[in-house]
Amino acid sequence: MFKPAPVDKLSFEIAGDLAESYQVSGDGLVYTVRLRPNARFHPPIGRQVTAEDVVYSYQRFIGEAPGSKPATNYRELADVVESVEARDPLTVVFKLKFPYAPFLTRLADTYLLFVMPRETGQAFDPAQKMVGSGPWIFEGYEVSRLFRFRRNPDWHLGPDRPYLDRVELNVLPEYQSRVTQFLGGNLDGVAPDGADLVRILNGVRGVQVVSETDRSVTLIWFSGRDPQAPWRDPRVRRAISMAIDRDALVEAAGVREAEGRGIKVFKGWNNLVPAIFGSWWLDPRGKDISPEVARYFRYDPEGARRLLAEAGYPNGFRVDFRYTTTAYGQVFNTQAELVAQYLRRIGLDVNVVIEDYASQFITRTVLGEFDGIAMGRHAPFTDPGNYLEIMLESTNPRNRGKIRDPKLDAMIAEMRTTQDAEKRRRRVLEIQQYANEQMYYVPLAASIQFTAYQPWVRGAVENRVIDRDFGDGAENFPYFWKAG
Amino acid sequence: MGRYFAYRLLSLIPTVVGVTVVVFVAVRFLPGDVVQQMLGEYGAASRELRERLLREYALDLSLPQQYARWVVNALRGDLGVSILSGRPVVEDLKQRLPVTFQLGVMALLIAWALALPVGILSALYQDSPLDYALRGLAIGLLALPTFWMALLIISYGFIFFGWTPPLRYYSLSEDPIRNLQILSIPAFVLGTHLSAIVMRLLRSTMLEVLRQDYVRTARAKGLPELVVVLRHALPNALIPVVTVIALQVPLLVGGTVIMERIFALPGMGNYLLSAVQQRDYPVVQAITLLSAVTVVASNFAVDLLYGALDPRIRYSER
């Protein structure tokens, strides 16, 4: 219903997509959303998108529509929303259980509410066909080969857009095949690792490369299971943070190669809120962070050793260091190897445990069911407050570090219900500052990604929304075109 | 012969059942079940959802109950519905099976086309420089992993010749030329690897046969060397080699998984790999069942072929 605002690509501001306008009640409990009258579903439905469809989609999302089952993340909305009603064909009313400031940005999250026609399951089988109201009409899926879409001439944000007539998404699971196909001119775009940038820049004359940072947070977290673990002492957690050279982690993403070829790369350090959130991100090297806390982010192995000694571990300790090599790509894997080396340099006896993402990492370590320390990425969100709620609030089941801090709980509860944007921004910064002081999690460098486009692709560099988590298809592809 | 055929056919059933039981149980004992993976990091947040999904996919039943249900449905031709995609597995297999089958057949043909001349020449010119070179080739092909060869061909193919594998797969009926273009390289990689075993075996069986009295007699009668080799020596040397075909079928099944992944072919191997990673039980079970039946059937066919190739072999009637 919402999407990132095109006017400010470096923030999380939103704009209407299906929504034409909205109103929020004074107590923050009622959101009234007016839908665009010109939004229509794709064939075979082909009718206007109505408020009833939004109500149906919400019921389907939480598993209450006939024949539906809840989405795995249904509680992210169900815990907040009291009811959804259609006031008239184009007006939807969301009533919340409590004032929840980030509600609209949650509606812009592509992981949450998809608006589907209420004929879903009867007029078409959603396992075989996608029917929405966006810029691309689903034409077909060839198993393990490609997805085919054609331009939606009736898109409510058209009629001139999308510019392309067709989009084909090829299924190429092997990274090396993707790069070679791009080099051979068979793909319009590819996301190369930094290590392959030079190859691509040399191999394709006129190639366009965009460097981006995204909404994921690469971080270290600590097992909360053992009350006697050394990292229960904040000095140990700070020492671990100070042991890590974040600039070297940035370098591992192939930054030098990119900059050598004139590509501008963001080299920031993430906090618990990633750098892409601009003024809501507490920059570890910025003016808003206290000098004492900023010190914990600076690479200082000597200082780290001193802190360990003060905490009673002059000779370090043995620790399992867990990460997965099957999910986040080669740059992450290199960064994890570097982190293990940094931890050894301050005297820790590091036992590297590499886990399978699907069967071990996501089902145990990410849930906090592990021993030792772990490194991974946190899922992206559309609102900065969500990172803090999920990582730090004691009642949140996705709090992977099992953090139990009443002060944080109170700060988060206040932040969540603060409607005034500037006041909420200050709360978000304060929470980051406090969590950094305790170093409950150790945020690392911002993730850097590169996307390469063939010379004939137009509009990609200028119009690309920096983050992909709102959905490439609706946010980026409608603005691309190809030179003749 | 008829009774032997029936007896052997019946004896295959326990093998297939055994394989399905092992796979059925093994895939469920892997850490992280399908529901856990669907829930991912929401798992802890959604215990009631987990229970609901387990019920929905009948994963709350005991293992024997689940197995019995699956067998009954499989006997009716219903291999279930993919838990992740929601599509019937049979429908997906109908699209994917021809790709894997064609890749396998092409790989076998390439393997034999390479192995026969190399094995024969190596034996005829035993201990000569040619023999050393061909033996080296066979050992080299055995030693090189297929995935490495495939990636090397893709990378160096582009660097030196500007060649890339065709982006999209076309079936034989859609576009035969493009179909052969995309399948020839993976089939070649797989075929050369398989050929190495046949080369080595054929060389040794040929050496043995060439020393037999009847070969000496044939030569003494003044028959041309080509006739001696092709008509008298080769058919007998091939008998033990034929068994290797059956042994190569499992290798072929494993090899197609890797080739399909690297060359983005929409076959069963690619499907199986994704299904195992995501613990999509109905898909894993269906493909394993098909693979088991293929392997068992090919062994059975080779047993029967023995009698046809060597009239001295007769089947016991017990």
Side-chain angles (χ1 to χ4, degrees):
Chain A
M1 296 178 74
F2 293 88
K3 61 179 197 141
V7 290
D8 186 359
K9 293 175 184 171
L10 281 168
S11 78
F12 69 100
E13 295 299 317
I14 56 158
D17 188 325
L18 267 180
E20 188 175 58
S21 60
Y22 65 89
Q23 282 183 323
V24 187
S25 66
D27 58 6
L29 285 171
V30 181
Y31 285 72
T32 307
V33 180
R34 179 89 182 154
L35 302 179
R36 290 181 197 274
N38 63 335
R40 301 184 73 79
F41 282 114
H42 303 156
I45 304 302
R47 61 165 176 76
Q48 186 184 38
V49 180
T50 67
E52 286 293 347
D53 294 306
V54 179
V55 174
Y56 165 80
S57 300
Y58 177 73
Q59 286 170 344
R60 187 180 167 84
F61 179 72
I62 63 171
E64 287 182 1
S68 68
K69 53 178 175 286
T72 53
N73 55 348
Y74 78 104
R75 282 187 57 180
E76 289 195 31
L77 286 183
D79 286 353
V80 176
V81 175
E82 178 72 44
S83 66
V84 187
E85 290 163 15
R87 179 178 290 168
D88 61 50
L90 290 177
T91 308
V92 193
V93 180
F94 292 90
K95 288 186 180 154
L96 308 190
K97 292 174 181 168
F98 53 86
Y100 186 59
F103 182 64
L104 289 177
T105 52
R106 299 316 324 265
L107 291 184
D109 191 331
T110 49
Y111 289 97
L112 296 175
L113 186 63
F114 293 88
V115 178
M116 299 166 80
R118 51 187 184 276
E119 296 89 342
T120 301
Q122 293 153 6
F124 66 94
D125 175 4
Q128 307 283 348
K129 188 165 179 61
M130 288 185 263
V131 176
S133 56
W136 308 104
I137 298 172
F138 176 75
E139 277 199 324
Y141 165 61
E142 296 172 31
V143 285
S144 293
R145 290 156 74 175
L146 83 162
F147 294 86
R148 285 183 282 109
F149 300 89
R150 70 170 194 272
R151 178 178 190 275
N152 179 8
D154 300 321
W155 188 35
H156 51 270
L157 299 178
D160 51 334
R161 291 168 297 188
Y163 301 133
L164 295 169
D165 292 326
R166 325 183 60 79
V167 170
E168 289 186 350
L169 299 177
N170 289 280
V171 180
L172 293 170
E174 193 60 41
Y175 169 76
Q176 220 33 262
S177 299
R178 292 197 293 274
V179 171
T180 308
Q181 291 290 1
F182 180 80
L183 287 168
N186 301 326
L187 295 177
D188 292 320
V190 74
D193 284 346
D196 284 308
L197 261 188
V198 173
R199 207 172 134 208
I200 282 180
L201 289 164
N202 289 340
V204 182
R205 187 188 293 268
V207 67
Q208 309 167 80
V209 176
V210 185
S211 163
E212 303 167 302
T213 180
D214 67 14
R215 286 168 202 264
S216 67
V217 182
T218 306
L219 46 80
I220 289 172
W221 64 98
F222 304 88
S223 167
R225 295 210 289 204
D226 178 6
Q228 305 302 320
W231 48 85
R232 287 290 174 154
D233 187 325
R235 288 171 296 186
V236 172
R237 300 195 293 265
R238 290 168 191 152
I240 286 175
S241 177
M242 290 160 69
I244 296 162
D245 183 351
R246 290 170 171 80
D247 285 330
L249 300 188
V250 171
E251 287 293 326
V255 168
R256 197 169 294 172
E257 291 85 348
E259 287 187 326
R261 302 298 287 261
I263 298 164
K264 199 175 167 191
V265 182
F266 176 79
K267 296 192 287 186
W269 298 347
N270 271 350
N271 207 314
L272 295 181
V273 170
I276 197 169
F277 284 94
S279 62
W280 296 64
W281 157 60
L282 183 64
D283 181 356
R285 291 180 290 193
K287 59 180 171 43
D288 290 332
I289 196 166
S290 82
E292 178 62 17
V293 176
R295 196 168 67 86
Y296 304 145
F297 282 87
R298 277 198 291 275
Y299 178 50
D300 180 6
E302 282 308 313
R305 274 191 215 100
R306 276 197 302 277
L307 273 179
L308 280 182
E310 279 173 29
Y313 301 99
N315 300 315
F317 50 86
R318 184 173 168 77
V319 62
D320 285 345
F321 176 56
R322 296 168 190 275
Y323 62 94
T324 179
T325 54
T326 51
Y328 307 124
Q330 189 51 46
V331 171
F332 173 87
N333 298 347
T334 307
Q335 289 175 332
E337 285 170 22
L338 283 171
V339 167
Q341 289 304 321
Y342 288 132
L343 298 183
R344 287 188 180 113
R345 278 189 202 165
I346 62 165
L348 301 191
D349 179 7
V350 176
N351 176 42
V352 170
V353 182
I354 294 177
E355 298 186 332
D356 174 56
Y357 178 76
S359 61
Q360 296 169 301
F361 197 70
I362 198 75
T363 54
R364 289 205 304 249
T365 306
V366 163
L367 299 178
E369 304 299 329
F370 73 104
D371 293 314
I373 65 176
M375 178 173 159
R377 282 199 184 151
H378 205 287
F381 296 101
T382 46
D383 185 274
N386 293 136
Y387 295 88
L388 307 175
E389 288 175 300
I390 285 170
M391 281 195 262
L392 298 168
E393 200 167 22
S394 61
T395 52
N396 198 301
R398 292 168 68 195
N399 173 342
R400 57 181 72 183
K402 307 283 183 207
I403 312 302
R404 305 282 181 265
D405 186 329
K407 185 178 173 183
L408 267 176
D409 286 347
M411 292 169 87
I412 290 167
E414 193 197 344
M415 176 272 296
R416 184 167 41 220
T417 53
T418 302
Q419 296 289 324
D420 181 88
E422 177 52 25
K423 280 186 187 159
R424 198 161 80 88
R425 186 183 76 84
R426 294 207 171 282
R427 298 290 96 79
V428 166
L429 295 180
E430 284 163 15
I431 294 168
Q432 289 177 80
Q433 169 103 352
Y434 176 70
N436 290 162
E437 192 185 321
Q438 298 299 320
M439 206 49 81
Y440 285 128
Y441 293 87
V442 180
L444 301 170
S447 11
I448 297 167
Q449 293 171 352
F450 299 100
T451 311
Y453 296 103
Q454 296 287 0
W456 55 77
V457 177
R458 299 280 192 268
V461 177
E462 305 87 315
N463 295 317
R464 190 173 174 86
V465 174
I466 285 187
D467 174 42
R468 276 176 274 195
D469 296 302
F470 282 97
D472 242 357
E475 307 314 327
N476 291 314
F477 295 163
Y479 306 93
F480 293 5
W481 73 95
K482 285 169 96 167
Chain B
M1 175 68 187
R3 279 184 61 191
Y4 173 81
F5 182 82
Y7 171 76
R8 282 302 317 269
L9 205 57
L10 283 174
S11 68
L12 299 180
I13 294 171
T15 312
V16 174
V17 171
V19 171
T20 58
V21 169
V22 169
V23 171
F24 195 90
V25 173
V27 75
R28 279 165 174 75
F29 277 97
L30 286 172
D33 64 40
V34 64
V35 171
Q36 243 178 329
Q37 296 206 20
M38 285 166 85
L39 292 170
E41 60 179 293
Y42 301 101
S46 308
R47 293 201 190 284
E48 73 278 20
L49 177 57
R50 175 174 166 75
E51 281 160 21
R52 185 173 165 176
L53 290 172
L54 285 172
R55 266 198 310 279
E56 198 154 310
Y57 298 118
L59 296 172
D60 58 335
L61 300 176
S62 67
L63 273 186
Q65 283 175 311
Q66 287 182 48
Y67 182 74
R69 212 174 155 142
W70 177 70
V71 169
V72 169
N73 289 334
L75 289 173
R76 291 183 189 139
D78 175 9
L79 292 172
V81 171
S82 161
I83 292 176
L84 293 166
S85 74
R87 288 193 303 270
V89 178
V90 171
E91 291 304 312
D92 278 354
L93 289 182
K94 272 184 200 165
Q95 294 181 57
R96 293 171 182 272
L97 192 58
V99 182
T100 306
F101 181 75
Q102 191 192 343
L103 177 62
V105 169
M106 282 175 68
L108 270 182
L109 289 176
I110 289 170
W112 282 79
L114 281 172
L116 283 179
V118 170
I120 294 168
L121 284 174
S122 201
L124 287 177
Y125 297 95
Q126 187 189 5
D127 296 333
S128 69
L130 178 68
D131 180 31
Y132 287 129
L134 295 176
R135 281 158 68 186
L137 173 74
I139 291 167
L141 290 175
L142 264 180
L144 294 176
T146 49
F147 74 87
W148 186 76
M149 272 174 75
L151 289 175
L152 221 60
I153 287 175
I154 289 178
S155 298
Y156 285 102
F158 179 76
I159 292 169
F160 293 120
F161 308 107
W163 171 88
T164 53
L167 181 61
R168 282 185 55 190
Y169 174 82
Y170 292 87
S171 69
L172 206 54
S173 56
E174 273 176 312
D175 189 334
I177 293 175
R178 283 184 175 177
N179 171 271
L180 291 177
Q181 275 177 346
I182 193 163
L183 281 182
S184 54
I185 298 293
F188 176 76
V189 173
L190 210 50
T192 49
H193 190 73
L194 294 175
S195 71
I197 302 164
V198 183
M199 285 175 194
R200 302 277 299 159
L201 190 64
L202 184 61
R203 178 182 178 276
S204 60
T205 55
M206 275 294 284
L207 282 175
E208 202 180 314
V209 169
L210 286 172
R211 292 191 187 102
Q212 296 292 317
D213 290 344
Y214 67 88
V215 173
R216 195 180 309 127
T217 306
R219 282 183 175 140
K221 279 175 18 188
L223 288 175
E225 188 63 12
L226 198 64
V227 175
V228 172
V229 170
L230 294 183
R231 192 177 296 167
H232 293 267
L234 186 61
N236 288 306
L238 276 179
I239 294 169
V241 179
V242 165
T243 45
V244 174
I245 301 173
L247 296 175
Q248 282 184 331
V249 171
L251 284 178
L252 206 56
V253 171
T256 54
V257 173
I258 298 163
M259 288 304 110
E260 287 175 11
R261 191 74 174 182
I262 292 175
F263 289 91
L265 299 172
M268 286 205 313
N270 213 346
Y271 195 28
L272 176 65
L273 199 62
S274 307
V276 170
Q277 282 169 347
Q278 297 171 321
R279 311 286 187 270
D280 196 343
Y281 302 142
V283 177
V284 176
Q285 286 156 201
I287 297 180
T288 313
L289 176 67
L290 266 178
S291 305
V293 168
T294 309
V295 170
V296 167
S298 60
N299 276 279
F300 180 56
V302 166
D303 280 357
L304 296 180
L305 199 63
Y306 253 160
L309 285 173
D310 187 351
R312 292 170 301 177
I313 298 172
R314 288 289 172 264
Y315 299 105
S316 160
E317 285 291 325
R318 71 185 185 85

